[in-house]
Amino acid sequence: MNPGDQSDQRPDAARNLSGDDLTQAVLASFDQSASPRFRQLAQGLVRHLHAFVRETGLTEEEWAAGIDFLMRVGHITTEQRQEFILLSDVLGVSMQVIGVNHPATGATGAATESTVFGPFFVQDSPPYACGDDLANGAPGEPCYLAGQIRSTSGAPVAGARIEVWQADEDGHYDVQYADLPAARGRGHLFADVDGGYHFWSVLPSAYPIPDDGPVGELLAAARRSSMRPAHIHFMVSATGFQTLVTHVFAEGDRYLDSDAVFGVKSSLIAPFTRHEPGLAPDGKRLDRPYYTMRYDFILAPAAS
Ligand code: BEZ
Ligand code: FE
């Protein structure tokens, strides 16, 4: 008998299906899946999709509109325009996945909390040394960022790789400009022997997530804001530790309690402190006002 051949069952078992019988038949069609995990995911998806259709009394026009919406999400998606990530973000699915995989323990000294990856990460960002200026010409007020990478036991994580990406004062990432010759407000550096890091960049601004596509239509239909509070993205990785994907949010930002993608966690909010022109913590003299922000990242041990 071929896999999936149901000829040994009741001759009419696969006919005249509707409602719960239909759901049960589709669920059973995954029973012989090669991978138990695939079976679990496929059956869970079917169960929830069928329940959604029946609970809402979905009309044929609405189902067609939904398919058209997904088709347009697909058509606009490219390496640079990640509309599917955006959809997952505005539906809160990204944060649910993070919650399942990185539950906060709330314990003192616990690992730094994670938040959304977002669509603006770029592989192979430029390398910098501690103390360099990652802004690389991005418009904005100078900001000095520093801190330490530690393990949950308090030990410094020397040599941890720190990826940084952020929006400029106009709320734009470098990848949102046409034809920039080089990365701006983006790069990676490595923690020193004491786990310390420090670098210059610019003060980040609040910004709207890309809302000129189907996800923007969805937000407009829901009368939702597309704004995110000002933040800087960090991805911190080191051998023997779970990779941390997170942001540091600017204390006092007006959008902290209405983030379009539900990504704010209190533990990730830090002051970006304004200073008059003068000597910065690294000894650099600034002839214009500048900001400082300090944040320590705590890495969880890799799952064994
Ligand atoms: C971001 O922070 O870069 C981002 C996150 C989710 C959606 C859009 C942008
Ligand atoms: Fe961002």
Side-chain angles (χ1 to χ4, degrees), residues 86 89 116-120 173 207 209-210 228 231 233 247 261:
L86 218 49
D89 292 340
V116 285
F117 199 54
F120 296 125
Y173 286 80
Y207 63 86
I209 63 170
R228 296 214 68 206
H231 59 271
H233 293 254
H247 313 347
V261 302

Side-chain angles (χ1 to χ4, degrees), residues 98 113-117 165 234-236 243-247:
I98 287 167
E113 293 191 271
S114 305
T115 188
V116 285
F117 199 54
W165 65 107
F234 287 88
M235 180 161 67
V236 186
T243 294
L244 170 68
V245 175
T246 196
H247 313 347

Side-chain angles (χ1 to χ4, degrees), residues 46-288:
V46 166
R47 208 176 295 116
H48 287 276
L49 281 176
H50 283 225
F52 164 75
V53 171
R54 295 167 71 190
E55 177 194 307
T56 60
L58 193 70
T59 68
E60 285 159 325
E61 290 74 20
E62 288 164 344
W63 183 227
I67 288 179
D68 178 66
F69 175 81
L70 288 177
M71 198 176 70
R72 288 184 296 115
V73 170
H75 281 162
I76 199 174
T77 295
T78 63
E79 276 298 313
Q80 285 75 39
R81 176 66 187 243
Q82 298 279 5
E83 197 79 357
F84 272 113
I85 296 183
L86 218 49
L87 181 59
S88 160
D89 292 340
V90 302
L91 294 179
V93 177
S94 303
M95 286 306 293
Q96 284 290 11
V97 173
I98 287 167
V100 166
N101 290 281
H102 306 277
T105 67
T108 317
T112 302
E113 293 191 271
S114 305
T115 188
V116 285
F117 199 54
F120 296 125
F121 174 75
V122 175
Q123 288 287 356
D124 303 323
S125 68
Y128 287 97
C130 274
D132 282 351
D133 184 1
L134 275 65
N136 194 26
E141 296 179 89
C143 185
Y144 178 78
L145 304 105
Q148 191 193 29
I149 319 295
R150 292 192 299 274
S151 69
T152 46
S153 61
V157 182
R161 181 184 170 112
I162 305 160
E163 285 277 348
V164 182
W165 65 107
Q166 68 161 104
D168 61 22
E169 70 177 357
D170 298 319
H172 296 134
Y173 286 80
D174 55 357
V175 290
Q176 294 178 288
Y177 291 93
D179 303 328
L180 270 190
R184 288 197 323 202
R186 175 188 305 282
H188 69 270
L189 64 161
F190 295 91
D192 63 23
V193 287
D194 300 316
Y197 74 89
H198 60 109
F199 63 91
W200 285 90
S201 190
V202 291
L203 185 71
S205 283
Y207 63 86
I209 63 170
D211 57 5
D212 56 346
V215 169
E217 285 171 34
L218 184 143
L219 293 178
R223 297 190 181 144
R224 274 174 55 178
S225 159
S226 56
M227 291 303 291
R228 296 214 68 206
H231 59 271
I232 298 193
H233 293 254
F234 287 88
M235 180 161 67
V236 186
S237 54
T239 306
F241 296 92
Q242 291 177 35
T243 294
L244 170 68
V245 175
T246 196
H247 313 347
V248 178
F249 292 95
E251 186 178 270
D253 190 284
R254 61 187 286 219
Y255 299 107
L256 282 172
D257 294 311
S258 59
D259 182 6
V261 302
F262 311 97
V264 179
K265 292 177 174 171
S266 303
S267 67
L268 300 178
I269 300 172
F272 285 67
T273 308
R274 187 177 186 278
H275 303 272
E276 292 305 325
L279 214 53
D282 64 348
K284 188 169 159 185
R285 181 164 293 282
L286 278 99
D287 57 6
R288 54 191 286 208

